[in-house]
Amino acid sequence: MVDITHKNTTLRKAIASATLQVSKQETIDAIQSRSVPKGDVFEFSRAAGLLAVKKTSDVIPDCHPLPVEYTAITHRVEGMTVVIEVEVHAIYRTGVEVEAMHGAAVAALTMYDMLKPIDKEVEISSIRLVKKEGGKSDKKSLSGAGLSAAVVVCSDTIARGENNDTTGQFLVHRLEGLGVERVSITVIPDEVAAIQAQANAFIENGIDLVIFTGGTGLSPRDVTPDAIEPLLDTPVPGIMETVRHYGQQRMPFAMLSRGVAGFAKNSLLITLPGSEGGVRDAMDALFPQLFHVFKVRQGMRHS
């Protein structure tokens, strides 16, 4: 199966439909009057569809088992056709489109099986996804296009040339991949004065997003949050709460990060860990949805 451990858990929804075509009005009449010899076609197909939604990962090899929170199955008669609609909700890391379509397919097949003794020309004409919400497609409009960004690597050893920078380069690559067109990178030592001077320079130059990496832990030289927090006009605690929650689901030491985030004038400052793994998790947790904050701030400035 595809690795989805890096994805965020969100509310996922999908609606799928299947269309059953019959050949005579008598079949429709029997369905609606609940007089089909094999039983109530609507109720049997509904029960079968519910089971199919739950069992999707058992029969579709690459589907992940997921916690289905809600399923609704409805039938609609339109002339000589019956339209089956299946809606599925789950709070998880992957979508529920296949679950909805599998439910619709099995509901239609159940109707076919129950109706074939009285109508030899029943056909299932289509099974399709009608709508989906909550996945990556909902975030297509969120990108870093038009934004400026700066990456600041806070590390004594890298500043002295004793170690090579990997996290800063990783951040630049990720930001560029997210559409940010102008990204600079700077390396400075773990000194409050140096960190604040660099932050103030970016703030005064109107850089939209400034990401600091390193110095967010508990060692005596980890001073990045202490340097940045006094500069924030508008703290945004939910940003680092999200990062810590996401990280805690993957490794136990995420709770030790002291990272802070917020706006200083019109610049969003974020302090991330110094490890590449920690930065990777933080970027997966925050982007691209974090770009929405710039749309909100722009609206505030224009109002």
Side-chain angles (χ1 to χ4, degrees):
M1 292 187 290
V2 175
D3 183 5
I4 60 171
T5 55
H6 64 285
K7 291 187 175 183
N8 284 292
T9 297
T10 59
L11 174 59
R12 314 286 183 132
K13 299 180 182 180
I15 299 174
S17 69
T19 303
L20 194 86
Q21 181 81 37
V22 303
S23 67
K24 52 189 177 181
Q25 184 61 42
E26 288 84 350
T27 306
I28 294 294
D29 293 341
I31 293 171
Q32 292 182 314
S33 64
R34 270 70 172 176
S35 59
V36 174
K38 283 193 172 184
D40 188 329
V41 174
F42 289 148
E43 288 306 312
F44 271 90
S45 66
R46 179 179 175 275
L50 289 170
L51 289 172
V53 168
K54 296 176 183 179
K55 295 291 185 179
T56 300
S57 64
D58 290 347
V59 295
I60 309 295
D62 207 37
C63 278
H64 296 80
L66 49 78
V68 174
E69 310 275 358
Y70 171 81
T71 302
I73 299 178
T74 60
H75 302 82
R76 184 173 71 253
V77 176
E78 297 179 350
M80 301 290 281
T81 66
V82 179
V83 179
I84 304 160
E85 197 164 84
V86 179
E87 181 171 354
V88 181
H89 299 181
I91 298 175
Y92 200 56
R93 295 186 180 91
T94 189
V96 289
E97 306 96 286
V98 177
E99 283 72 15
M101 288 190 286
H102 186 225
V106 171
L109 284 167
T110 301
M111 293 190 73
Y112 176 93
D113 177 66
M114 296 181 73
L115 295 173
K116 64 183 181 181
I118 63 172
D119 190 336
K120 300 301 183 184
E121 298 180 30
V122 176
E123 292 184 0
I124 298 171
S125 59
S126 69
I127 299 165
R128 68 185 187 93
L129 179 66
V130 176
K131 182 180 179 182
K132 62 171 286 190
E133 296 178 13
K136 186 167 59 176
S137 58
D138 289 355
K139 302 172 186 173
K140 285 182 178 177
S141 63
L142 297 174
S143 80
L147 298 177
S148 58
V151 172
V152 182
V153 179
C154 302
S155 170
D156 290 331
T157 57
I158 296 174
R160 291 195 298 262
E162 297 172 7
N163 282 328
N164 294 322
D165 166 48
T166 58
T167 55
Q169 297 298 327
F170 170 80
L171 280 168
V172 171
H173 178 73
R174 282 293 297 269
L175 288 169
E176 290 176 341
L178 289 163
V180 180
E181 298 160 9
R182 294 165 290 156
V183 187
S184 67
I185 183 168
T186 307
V187 178
I188 59 176
D190 290 305
E191 299 284 353
V192 170
I195 295 168
Q196 289 185 336
Q198 190 64 73
N200 282 322
F202 288 132
I203 294 165
E204 293 306 314
N205 286 327
I207 301 300
D208 297 302
L209 174 64
V210 185
I211 299 180
F212 297 82
T213 173
T216 62
L218 294 168
S219 79
R221 297 292 291 172
D222 288 336
V223 295
T224 306
D226 308 285
I228 295 302
E229 191 167 27
L231 305 181
L232 302 180
D233 304 319
T234 308
V236 188
I239 292 176
M240 296 314 300
E241 288 170 6
T242 297
V243 171
R244 281 185 279 269
H245 175 72
Y246 185 95
Q248 191 64 32
Q249 293 179 319
R250 289 154 179 80
M251 62 92 68
F253 302 135
M255 63 181 175
L256 302 179
S257 172
R258 298 190 302 119
V260 297
F263 277 92
K265 295 186 177 178
N266 290 318
S267 299
L268 178 61
L269 278 53
I270 301 175
T271 61
L272 299 183
S275 68
E276 188 171 340
V279 167
R280 186 185 303 275
D281 284 349
M283 294 297 286
D284 287 340
L286 296 177
F287 291 92
Q289 54 270 28
L290 187 64
F291 289 133
H292 178 67
V293 75
F294 295 104
K295 292 185 176 182
V296 173
R297 297 283 291 193
Q298 186 178 34
M300 290 170 59
R301 291 200 295 270
H302 292 167
S303 61

